[in-house]
Amino acid sequence: MPKVIRQAGLPVLLVALLGLMIWNSALATLAAGVALFVLGIGRLEEGFRAFSGGALERWLKWSTSGLWRSLLVGVISTAMVQSSTLVTLLGIAFLSAGLINTLGGVGLVFGANLGTTSGAWLIALAGLKLNMAQLSMPMLAFGVFLARREETGWRGGGLALLGIGLLFLGIDLMKTGFSGFEGAFDLARYAVEGWAGVLLFVLIGALATVVMQSSHATLVLTLAALAAGQVQYDNALALVIGANLGSTATALFAAIGSNNAGRRIAATHLIFNLVTAGAALLLLHQLIAAVEWLADVGGLAADAHMLKLAIFHTVYNVFGLVLMLPWSPLLVRGLERWLPEEAAMADCGMLSERPRTRAKYVNDTALLHADTALKVLEQELQHLAQLSRQVVGAALYLPHDLTALPPAELHARVRQPVPLAVREDADALYERHIKGVYADIVDFLSHVDVSLLPEQQQVMMNVSVAARDLVAAVKAAKHLQSNLRQQIDSSQPVIRQAYTQLREQGGLSLLELGHWLDTVDDTQGRERRLEDGEAQDQRFAEAFQRDLQQHLRNRELDGWQATSLLNDLHYLLRVRRHLRRGHIGLTQRVSADEAERLEQAVNLA
């Protein structure tokens, strides 16, 4: 029902807005200024993402070394892109992807709130005094030209210039729009005294921020209205508090599509703004007195309300930091207890007894930036590789504690009778634990529309191919199990022994691949293990086929049975080949040339 209401209400809202613009040209100018300002923030964010590449990932990782460092990163990042919302959303995405820890995320949110004050100072000091339209013209011209370049760096710089130009042009139009009202839309006429007025304008500021999805836009509107005399100073202070409260809406919306780790950032943003707003309202008179004292120290005139508003915005956020910083370790522990990590799947136990498995790491929030998209894909591929090894092991009726067994113990265990209670159905395991995760990966890949560098595109392709290979390995194991299920208890010792050999070889591969990440940074060791594995496959296949020929000559097998065993040998080789190919994807950060060389090393004729 809410969706239907929104869909029906949008045309009504647009028609009403059009009518108001026709009725008053100043309102049309104001609306155009707001639109250009919000559009400029979007282009600035897009440009920042485009030319950041892997630098943003390293920058965010650097911020996790301590609360103060992450706080500094939050301040600088927000001042650069003029969007605390973007930094908060990136914090949600990076924390959900595991690029930063909870303490780093908390510091990032705190810093973003302080960094957003830079916009107020910029506008108060120069924005409404200089000819912003004239300043924007060269930025718009150069920005459009550079944004059309194919090179990522130039394109990102062009989008950033275009964004700044649109911001300046939007500010100029808002200033013009408010100055043209001439009392027709004068909020000062509707000023409400006392706490009722404070709460009313807090609500107006929050609603304006939710509608425009930008506290910066609300702040610029407030400064422009204050400069034009359209709003009283006291009410403007309440609008600032409301703008900070309204900025939590975007983070809360983004948290819906995130995991628990990402939701901690949204919760931090909400808690910070609620606590700061509540405390500021209780101590509003004291904060205003502090602003007046700082204005006197700075030699400001009594009617310099725009600069006083910028001072109030800074004092307000510094007040919030002083209030919240001492409690940040307790806040981190509380968030991690309230929103714990999703329990990881254990490496032992019967898979069929667990609920249907879906992706653990990919989520809509990670689509915000290329770095987070690649990081969660890397984590999800490791998750799928772990599940694939487990399902293949279960399909071959191998011990559930396989990863803890030395090869000699595996040799003894596979020769023991397999209890009926632990013979799991590979088809059911595939449907329950592989198909859902693979479907989520494919769906996530189809929605990645952020700008990618060539090496990032290569990584994305490697992940897609690796995931497909892991699924192919499980499907080959399903085919192998169809005969294994019937022949594992065969009355013919030769057949039982042959399937025992196939199972043991499969187990040795799983043991090898279970420790694959131990050599993720050792290129030569990785290639050597691949070559050794392929040579072992070749030797085993030749020996297995020689044995079959000998059993045929000795009339211990007939042609039908030998054909089934040969087919199952090739299914096993397919399982091993696809598993190795899939595990190459776990080393997706290697260069394209190395990835191609590694893939060629595991290709069988």
Side-chain angles (χ1 to χ4, degrees):
M1 181 62 68
K3 183 177 180 181
V4 174
I5 295 174
R6 288 198 301 271
Q7 291 177 343
L10 181 59
V12 175
L13 178 62
L14 292 176
V15 170
L17 186 59
L18 178 61
L20 288 173
M21 291 179 181
I22 295 173
W23 171 68
N24 192 305
S25 60
L27 181 59
T29 303
L30 177 63
V34 173
L36 288 175
F37 188 87
V38 175
L39 182 63
I41 289 177
R43 296 291 76 75
L44 185 59
E45 293 173 359
E46 187 179 349
F48 182 74
R49 294 193 201 113
F51 65 67
S52 65
L56 185 61
E57 178 178 341
R58 294 189 295 272
W59 177 246
L60 267 294
K61 283 183 177 179
W62 181 81
S63 74
T64 62
S65 60
L67 179 64
W68 293 103
R69 183 171 288 183
S70 62
L71 183 71
L72 178 63
V73 169
V75 172
I76 295 174
S77 300
T78 304
M80 286 173 57
V81 299
Q82 285 299 296
S83 176
S84 61
T85 299
L86 172 63
V87 175
T88 302
L89 292 180
L90 285 177
I92 293 174
F94 279 106
L95 187 57
S96 67
L99 290 176
I100 62 175
N101 56 31
T102 305
L103 185 62
V106 168
L108 200 66
V109 171
F110 288 177
N113 279 274
L114 184 58
T116 195
T117 61
S118 62
W121 280 105
L122 176 65
I123 297 164
L125 289 171
L128 299 179
K129 297 178 182 178
L130 301 177
N131 189 335
M132 304 297 283
Q134 188 174 1
L135 287 175
S136 70
M137 297 307 170
M139 295 181 185
L140 292 172
F142 283 105
V144 170
F145 175 75
L146 294 176
R148 297 175 64 86
R149 305 271 301 182
E150 294 184 359
E151 298 89 341
T152 305
W154 286 110
R155 180 174 178 273
L159 288 171
L161 271 178
L162 183 60
I164 296 172
L166 289 172
L167 289 177
F168 285 0
L169 187 58
I171 291 171
D172 188 79
L173 287 177
M174 281 188 272
K175 178 178 65 174
T176 303
F178 268 116
S179 63
F181 276 123
E182 297 179 354
F185 187 69
D186 188 359
L187 288 177
R189 293 167 53 188
Y190 307 102
V192 180
E193 299 295 333
W195 283 106
V198 172
L199 296 177
L200 174 62
F201 279 86
V202 166
L203 179 61
I204 293 173
L207 289 175
T209 302
V210 171
V211 170
M212 293 185 289
Q213 293 290 290
S214 172
S215 59
H216 266 63
T218 303
L219 186 61
V220 172
L221 272 175
T222 302
L223 285 166
L226 187 62
Q230 302 292 332
V231 66
Q232 289 187 356
Y233 172 64
D234 293 344
N235 295 146
L237 299 182
L239 286 172
V240 169
I241 297 175
N244 280 267
L245 273 176
S247 66
T248 61
T250 304
L252 292 176
F253 292 150
I256 295 174
S258 180
N259 55 21
N260 278 355
R263 292 186 185 109
R264 293 178 203 146
I265 291 287
T268 300
H269 193 52
L270 179 64
I271 292 170
F272 179 90
N273 282 284
L274 285 177
V275 171
T276 303
L281 288 173
L282 290 175
L283 300 174
L284 185 59
H285 295 299
Q286 288 81 356
L287 290 178
I288 293 176
V291 170
E292 293 297 330
W293 179 78
L294 289 172
D296 289 341
V297 171
L300 298 181
D303 59 350
H305 290 148
M306 288 182 59
L307 287 173
K308 288 183 179 180
L309 189 68
I311 295 174
F312 176 80
H313 193 217
T314 303
V315 169
Y316 173 85
N317 282 285
V318 170
F319 172 69
L321 281 178
V322 172
L323 200 63
M324 295 296 298
L325 275 176
W327 300 95
S328 53
L330 183 62
L331 177 62
V332 169
R333 289 196 295 271
L335 289 172
E336 290 178 343
R337 189 179 302 113
W338 178 42
L339 296 168
E341 296 285 355
E342 288 82 353
M345 177 173 287
D347 285 330
C348 59
M350 292 184 65
L351 283 166
S352 59
E353 295 178 353
R354 299 178 186 146
R356 186 177 296 276
T357 306
R358 299 304 297 264
K360 289 171 56 177
Y361 301 101
V362 296
N363 57 78
D364 292 341
T365 308
L367 293 168
L368 182 66
H369 196 277
D371 292 327
T372 57
L374 295 179
K375 182 65 177 180
V376 297
L377 279 171
E378 179 185 274
Q379 294 173 319
E380 203 61 64
L381 187 63
Q382 293 180 20
H383 180 212
L384 181 61
Q386 175 194 337
L387 289 171
S388 299
R389 294 194 303 269
Q390 290 178 269
V391 172
V392 168
L396 299 180
Y397 300 153
L398 293 171
H400 291 299
D401 57 347
L402 177 65
T403 55
L405 296 179
E409 179 69 16
L410 173 66
H411 180 81
R413 292 279 291 275
V414 296
R415 282 159 176 75
Q416 297 174 0
V418 180
L420 292 175
V422 298
R423 297 185 186 182
E424 302 177 80
D425 181 67
D427 279 308
L429 294 178
Y430 169 77
E431 292 291 333
R432 184 180 295 274
H433 296 291
I434 300 297
K435 191 172 183 178
V437 176
Y438 182 54
D440 290 340
I441 290 175
V442 171
D443 182 68
F444 184 83
L445 284 167
S446 70
H447 287 88
V448 175
D449 58 358
V450 292
S451 300
L452 296 178
L453 300 173
E455 55 268 28
Q456 293 172 327
Q457 294 174 1
Q458 181 65 44
V459 169
M460 200 80 73
M461 184 180 300
N462 290 346
V463 170
S464 177
V465 172
R468 187 166 64 245
D469 276 313
L470 291 171
V471 173
V474 174
K475 289 183 175 180
K478 287 167 49 181
H479 291 297
L480 175 55
Q481 192 193 64
S482 63
N483 282 335
L484 175 64
R485 183 187 295 112
Q486 300 173 15
Q487 303 297 342
I488 192 171
D489 297 319
S490 174
S491 58
Q492 294 179 260
V494 171
I495 294 179
R496 291 201 309 271
Q497 181 182 4
Y499 278 102
T500 297
Q501 288 178 316
L502 294 177
R503 292 172 59 221
E504 182 177 8
Q505 288 299 312
L508 289 173
S509 287
L510 295 178
L511 279 175
E512 171 200 353
L513 295 173
H515 302 289
W516 178 261
L517 290 180
D518 295 343
T519 59
V520 70
D521 295 322
D522 181 4
T523 302
Q524 293 182 346
R526 224 169 27 237
E527 291 179 337
R528 185 169 57 252
R529 290 175 65 177
L530 286 170
E531 293 169 357
D532 291 345
E534 290 305 311
Q536 179 185 348
D537 282 355
Q538 186 68 26
R539 290 193 299 269
F540 172 72
E542 292 173 355
F544 192 85
Q545 292 177 77
R546 283 197 303 269
D547 289 344
L548 284 184
Q549 291 292 335
Q550 185 63 43
H551 293 314
L552 277 171
R553 285 193 292 269
N554 296 340
R555 305 221 179 254
E556 296 171 307
L557 292 174
D558 58 30
W560 187 275
Q561 293 166 329
T563 302
S564 294
L565 282 169
L566 282 173
N567 287 337
D568 289 335
L569 168 64
H570 290 295
Y571 281 134
L572 175 66
L573 295 177
R574 285 175 59 186
V575 168
R576 297 174 74 159
R577 179 173 71 248
H578 286 298
L579 279 177
R580 287 196 185 100
R581 282 181 172 179
H583 280 70
I584 290 175
L586 301 181
T587 62
Q588 60 176 317
R589 296 295 180 182
V590 300
S591 66
D593 292 340
E594 184 185 350
E596 182 178 359
R597 188 167 62 254
L598 290 173
E599 185 170 352
Q600 290 174 350
V602 298
N603 284 331
L604 290 179

